[in-house]
Amino acid sequence: MTKRSELAKEYSLKLPNLNNSEVGRMLHKNYPLLFRSAESARKQVVMHRMLDNPQPTNNTSLLPDEIELIEKYRESKSILEKECNSAGINVSEVKHYWYKQKHFSIFAKPNQRSLDELKAEMMEGMKNYSPTFPKLKREKVKDGHCLVIDPADIHIGKLATAYETGNEYNVKIAIDRVIKGVDGILQKASGFSIDQIVLIIGNDILHTDNTRRSTTSGTPQDTDGQWYDNFLIAQELYVTVVTKLLGVAKVHIVHNVSNHDYMTGWFLAQIVQTWFRKCKDITFDCDMKHRKAFVYHDNLIATTHGDGAKQSDLNSLLAHEFPMEWSKTKYRYIYTHHIHHKTSKDVIGVTIESSRSASGTDGWHHRNGYTGAVKAIEAYLHSKSQGQVARFTNIF
């Protein structure tokens, strides 16, 4: 004989639309009839089978309220399946009803999702909200150049106070420096004919990666503002910058994953890509690879954050990971970040250069003596046939 508690649990699982009181009333009324004879065991099996059986509930051995419960369950399941189908959700993956519609709120949670699957879901969910951009008509440029703009290590959310470090840095200053830095670079480069812009994003654009005000690996940080506000501020900043650049030339956006915001920086890059998905003048390289490369005529322009592979190995890695691009180009550059100060070195076949950071010196860096580096946003100008021919620096 089935225990009342076991039956209650069974009914709760099979009849999710019933609350505990309804289940209790049904058991109190029907338990003596259903489970005290051989017939009761048969009826238990019949009822449970009929819950998921599409056949009509015309079994006269069931009580009227049992038939009503079965019909109620079937109706709810049918509505759920229709809502899932209309929303493009796999009904077998529905675990919680969080998707808000007329009849249900459904939360689809697959057992396991890759980053590619997660990216596809994010872009699918946002595509109806991304704006439409007209195809821009541009004059043909004979002697064109590629402008690589690199707002590196901005650390939105970092906090530095003059009382402790001798300099101020916060979210407002970070945004102001990026906008002024990009405007300054465009003004300095205005004398050159530019037919391509490469915008490097990521590289610790956000200072923390979780609700505990720490980096991806858990290092505590001095912070300004809430993580969610800073994320939205960074999103608005990138949209503003990209829109500015579209007025100059077509844009290629490269995302470099980094150690302060490995996860949230990637999410931010996906949102930027989705926002501009309908713009024919923008291309993207926003996957999780740690080293990226872009070909501009005789130039191979590579980027990486700089916290991973040794700098002495980067030229070999470039040749190994991008052999076709390497073979087709004459001038090769790797722009790195992470260290917040300028270095530049020619190695076999490649020039490796680190970009300065516009972010202030926080308490940890000041305490350990990492001070005095020039605060700046930098850009690099590449000729089609002569490699890097100019560098622009907007100093703060």
Side-chain angles (χ1 to χ4, degrees), residues 19-20 25 51 59 74 86 92 102 104 153 173 199 229 235 239 275 348 362 393:
N19 58 39
N20 292 336
R25 285 195 297 270
L51 286 172
N59 191 305
R74 288 181 180 174
S86 65
S92 66
K102 180 179 179 181
F104 281 94
D153 295 282
I173 294 174
L199 175 65
D229 289 329
Q235 173 188 326
V239 170
W275 182 270
I348 297 176
D362 62 10
T393 305

Side-chain angles (χ1 to χ4, degrees), residues 78-315:
S78 174
I79 295 172
L80 174 62
E81 290 173 346
K82 289 179 181 179
E83 293 287 353
C84 288
N85 291 335
S86 65
I89 297 173
N90 187 344
V91 69
S92 66
E93 295 177 347
V94 174
K95 306 300 181 185
H96 306 283
Y97 299 156
W98 285 2
Y99 176 82
K100 295 184 179 180
Q101 278 295 329
K102 180 179 179 181
H103 301 288
F104 281 94
S105 294
I106 304 168
F107 171 59
K109 183 180 179 182
N111 291 331
Q112 194 171 19
R113 288 182 293 180
S114 67
L115 284 175
D116 288 339
E117 291 170 334
L118 183 58
K119 171 185 173 182
E121 290 179 17
M122 289 174 60
M123 296 187 70
E124 181 67 23
M126 292 179 62
K127 69 179 183 180
N128 294 328
Y129 299 96
S130 54
T132 300
F133 296 85
K135 177 67 176 178
L136 298 176
K137 295 182 179 180
R138 305 183 187 275
E139 295 182 3
K140 291 185 178 180
V141 177
K142 294 183 180 180
D143 184 23
H145 295 80
C146 174
L147 181 63
V148 180
I149 299 181
D150 194 2
D153 295 282
I154 301 302
H155 291 271
I156 294 174
K158 175 193 279 191
L159 178 66
T161 64
Y163 184 77
E164 180 184 11
T165 67
N167 79 114
E168 295 283 345
Y169 194 73
N170 52 42
V171 172
K172 183 180 182 302
I173 294 174
I175 302 306
D176 184 64
R177 287 185 179 179
V178 173
I179 297 297
K180 289 183 177 179
V182 171
D183 286 343
I185 286 168
L186 292 179
Q187 191 277 326
K188 292 178 176 68
S190 61
F192 294 87
S193 54
I194 298 172
D195 60 359
Q196 177 70 62
I197 292 176
V198 173
L199 175 65
I200 306 175
I201 66 173
N203 294 306
D204 292 340
I205 180 63
L206 293 163
H207 195 46
T208 60
D209 205 29
N210 51 53
T211 60
R212 300 183 300 277
R213 300 179 184 269
S214 67
T215 65
T216 306
S217 61
T219 306
Q221 302 295 313
D222 297 332
T223 59
D224 175 39
Q226 296 290 346
W227 67 270
Y228 44 83
D229 289 329
N230 293 338
F231 185 92
L232 295 175
I233 288 169
Q235 173 188 326
E236 183 178 354
L237 174 65
Y238 274 153
V239 170
T240 300
V241 169
V242 174
T243 303
K244 284 177 179 288
L245 300 183
L246 281 173
V248 178
K250 59 184 179 180
V251 179
H252 179 67
I253 298 176
V254 181
H255 174 249
N256 289 153
V257 293
S258 42
N259 58 305
H260 271 252
D261 60 349
Y262 189 86
M263 180 179 66
T264 52
W266 179 83
F267 283 122
L268 180 60
Q270 305 312 308
I271 289 177
V272 172
Q273 181 172 352
T274 304
W275 182 270
F276 290 101
R277 60 181 290 275
K278 297 179 183 178
C279 183
K280 303 300 182 182
D281 289 276
I282 303 179
T283 54
F284 301 90
D285 188 356
C286 294
D287 61 22
M288 291 296 290
K289 294 184 181 66
H290 289 267
R291 290 167 293 280
K292 309 287 182 67
F294 177 78
V295 173
Y296 177 75
H297 297 275
D298 284 343
N299 298 262
L300 179 56
I301 302 168
T303 67
T304 187
H305 184 56
D307 64 318
K310 296 178 180 178
Q311 189 179 90
S312 58
D313 294 334
L314 290 180
N315 60 325

